[in-house]
Amino acid sequence: MSDTVAIVGRPNVGKSTLFNRLTGRRRAIVEDTPGVTRDRIYGETTWAGRRLSVIDTGGFDPASREPIPALMRAQAEVAVAEADVAILVVDGAAGLTAPDREVYDFLRRSGKPVVVAVNKADRKDVDPSLADFQALGADVLLAISAEHDLGIEALLDAVEARLPPRPPAAAEAPEEGDAAALRLAVIGRPNVGKSSLVNRILGYDRVIVSEVPGTTRDPIDTRFLWNGRPVVLVDTAGIRRRARVEGKLEKVSVVAALKALERCDVAAVVVDAAEGVTDQDQRIGAYAEESGRGVVVVVNKADLLPRGRTARREAEARVRERLRHLAFAPIVFCSAVAGHGVHRVLVAAERVAEAQRRRIPTGQLNRVLAAAVERNEPPFYKNRRLKFYYASQLGVRPPVFAVVTNSPEGVPESYRRYLVNQLREAFDLTGTPVRLVFRPRSRDAGRAAREPSEPAR
Ligand code: GDP
Ligand code: GDP
């Protein structure tokens, strides 16, 4: 679990510049899925041997027309809910403003450690004594230039000094049996019923093995046995806490989802049956897909849907339509409040976890590949028909397959998807991403290709 620092501040003070400066290319989120806007809000860096997650709280609503105090309040709430330390960025050239002061006071009252970074210190019109900003009464006030890379190390040192003490190594070690445990995260926007679902899952006759203890900032995972198998429910306390207290901020839910995704095998992406799939659900779904974790889509509050199979089928089609990037995931309907279908979430998650770990015997894999290629002839590339000679599995969690072909660069996306779907069906790889790596034919691969049904070594 990495420590988390949140960057807070008025528009235009240089938050994104600082975020980029801190995280460089190691940003977790860069690409866009068509139809889903993704803001770069979450990245990673390392300082003094500690992994630091960095949240740009200003990246949530770049085009927002909300008044600045409301925006900053929302940012500060994210920082309080999800970060260990807040960096308040102020504009050295603009001087101290009322919103700067308000957000500083809010953070201080919440008890969150704050480091104040006076940015744009490279400019001639910035008073190097920072006299203007002394009025805040901050215990750390640093002049920086995010753009020109000045004072960044001192800033990181100041942040590091305010992180909670490192837990003893033993606390970080996985508990016995954790390797075999299914690590399940329940994610989704506020009010879809995550907390109710978690309570249901834990409320039955579960044998709770342990609540891994931690300080207030630590995620608390709950281990229990389900059908005799160990399950770890990731960040149980966080889910309950967020549902109860924190104003149900949508932004917090995205950050929480990103953090939980880091730590799970399978994510239950919860949506609300009555409200349908919203833009925010799509965004969280896109992050889940990108993470490479297994996914189960949970349509909660199914008690609010009209009864009958047709209504159910229609609802499912609507969810599928709006969550196209999660087409590989099974959909489970449930009602956390009524207690219906909750066990099916666990059944589906368990199946997905098994699929992630599945090793396919090479002979079977190649029979399925050959049949798929025969059924749907590959296209031409540069006047030659694509040929697929041989496949082998490179790894699990998620399953990765190498496919030897006459032109790796010529395999169109549509054909790649076709092959993935054929493998998915043949080997029941529902819910897990499946990666294909196309490779050119080497002499070894050529030899193997002549013996396609050679059994796995
Ligand atoms: P945000 O709205 O707080 O995320 O601010 P941005 O990172 O988008 O920066 C706002 C403007 O300030 C941009 O034009 C940046 O180029 C500029 N800026 C950011 N950091 C610095 C700095 O250290 N020095 C100077 N002179 N300009 C900066
Ligand atoms: P969270 O913010 O995602 O953790 O959502 P909560 O678990 O706090 O639930 C939000 C609201 O939805 C609460 O009022 C719940 O009682 C309600 N709710 C949760 N699950 C269901 C359900 O299955 N059916 C119905 N009708 N309401 C539900």
Side-chain angles (χ1 to χ4, degrees), residues 243-284:
R244 221 176 39 242
V245 203
E246 270 127 17
K248 309 229 171 192
L249 266 181
E250 300 236 322
K251 292 138 205 215
V252 177
S253 68
V254 175
V255 175
L258 287 164
K259 292 170 105 183
L261 281 167
E262 271 182 21
R263 306 176 54 245
C264 73
D265 302 317
V266 179
V269 176
V270 185
V271 300
D272 182 319
E275 286 184 22
V277 175
T278 67
D279 291 356
Q280 181 78 338
D281 295 328
Q282 287 188 321
R283 206 165 291 141
I284 289 174

Side-chain angles (χ1 to χ4, degrees), residues 7 33 50 70 258 284 352 354 359 386 432:
I7 304 174
T33 299
R50 292 177 86 148
L258 287 164
I284 289 174
V352 168
E354 275 166 23
R359 286 189 190 277
L386 282 172
T432 173

Side-chain angles (χ1 to χ4, degrees), residues 155-174:
L155 175 65
L156 283 165
D157 279 339
V159 167
E160 205 263 342
R162 280 155 189 81
L163 292 174
R166 224 182 284 233
E172 297 258 307

Side-chain angles (χ1 to χ4, degrees), residues 67-334:
I68 287 173
L71 269 180
M72 292 186 66
R73 180 60 172 245
Q75 292 179 9
E77 283 180 28
V78 173
V80 169
E82 296 298 334
D84 300 299
V85 176
I87 299 176
L88 172 61
V89 183
V90 296
D91 184 330
L96 187 63
T97 68
D100 295 337
R101 207 185 306 253
E102 272 164 38
V103 77
Y104 178 80
D105 290 341
F106 176 81
L107 289 167
R108 277 327 295 252
R109 274 198 307 276
S110 76
K112 194 65 41 178
V114 195
V115 174
V116 179
V118 181
N119 192 32
K120 312 195 185 179
D122 55 293
R123 289 179 49 159
K124 299 266 181 313
D125 50 353
V126 175
D127 167 13
S129 74
L130 308 180
D132 199 10
F133 297 95
Q134 304 289 353
L136 277 177
D139 54 341
V140 233
L141 194 60
L142 295 165
I144 67 161
S145 169
E147 201 154 272
H148 300 281
D149 200 5
L150 301 170
I152 303 301
E153 302 203 338
L155 175 65
L156 283 165
D157 279 339
V159 167
E160 205 263 342
R162 280 155 189 81
L163 292 174
R166 224 182 284 233
E172 297 258 307
E175 278 185 51
E176 211 163 312
D178 257 7
L182 160 64
R183 298 185 60 88
L184 178 66
V186 175
I187 63 176
R189 71 185 159 82
N191 274 319
V192 292
K194 297 180 296 300
S195 161
S196 310
L197 182 61
V198 161
N199 286 332
R200 267 294 169 183
I201 289 175
L202 298 173
Y204 292 138
D205 48 347
R206 299 273 168 267
V207 182
I208 298 200
V209 179
S210 66
E211 295 229 331
V212 181
T215 62
T216 47
R217 66 154 206 127
D218 277 332
I220 297 187
D221 302 339
T222 304
R223 295 167 46 84
F224 59 93
L225 292 175
W226 180 71
N227 283 351
R229 274 166 299 197
V231 179
V232 175
L233 205 52
V234 168
D235 191 20
T236 322
I239 295 164
R240 291 173 164 164
R241 168 169 52 87
R242 265 174 226 112
R244 221 176 39 242
V245 203
E246 270 127 17
K248 309 229 171 192
L249 266 181
E250 300 236 322
K251 292 138 205 215
V252 177
S253 68
V254 175
V255 175
L258 287 164
K259 292 170 105 183
L261 281 167
E262 271 182 21
R263 306 176 54 245
C264 73
D265 302 317
V266 179
V269 176
V270 185
V271 300
D272 182 319
E275 286 184 22
V277 175
T278 67
D279 291 356
Q280 181 78 338
D281 295 328
Q282 287 188 321
R283 206 165 291 141
I284 289 174
Y287 284 128
E289 187 262 336
E290 187 183 71
S291 72
R293 303 298 190 260
V295 175
V296 175
V297 173
V298 177
V299 183
N300 186 37
K301 311 196 188 180
D303 53 293
L304 300 178
L305 287 174
R307 289 186 187 284
R309 272 168 185 274
T310 318
R312 184 60 64 93
R313 249 199 317 271
E314 282 168 8
E316 176 160 348
R318 279 196 303 274
V319 171
R320 282 269 176 237
E321 166 69 22
R322 296 273 295 163
L323 287 179
R324 250 173 290 173
H325 41 306
L326 294 180
F328 64 90
I331 293 186
V332 176
F333 282 78
C334 77

